[in-house]
Amino acid sequence: MTITVKLTKQGNSTGVRLPKEVLERAGLNRGDEVTLEVTGGRVTLVKSEAPYSAAMSAYEECRTRYSKTLEDLAK
């Protein structure tokens, strides 16, 4: 499914409206918490789940704390 939508101003932020059909197909509802990931110019939106959110938080902390080590290991 591909749908084009516009980014809109919402207060001091920018928002995007998700059509009802998109929410239904993604299994999302108003008020759900979602996680955004930005990689290679793409934004991925995923329904947050407690274990996933905890794992991502731990990853972000380790990535920040051990960035030099991870960079060296990648060589």
Side-chain angles (χ1 to χ4, degrees), residues 1-70:
M1 164 188 254
T2 302
I3 294 176
T4 301
V5 295
K6 286 189 178 185
L7 297 175
T8 59
K9 181 174 173 61
Q10 294 184 350
N12 289 329
S13 298
T14 301
V16 61
R17 287 182 159 177
L18 301 176
K20 182 179 178 182
E21 183 179 327
V22 170
L23 293 175
E24 288 173 353
R25 290 182 105 184
L28 295 169
N29 295 298
R30 283 189 190 141
D32 285 349
E33 188 172 298
V34 295
T35 301
L36 299 176
E37 182 178 327
V38 180
T39 307
R42 293 179 180 257
V43 178
T44 306
L45 181 139
V46 179
K47 185 173 184 175
S48 293
E49 297 176 17
Y52 177 80
S53 295
M56 289 306 293
S57 294
Y59 164 74
E60 289 295 332
E61 182 179 335
C62 288
R63 185 179 66 124
T64 302
R65 180 182 283 175
Y66 301 109
S67 63
K68 177 69 173 130
T69 302
L70 292 171

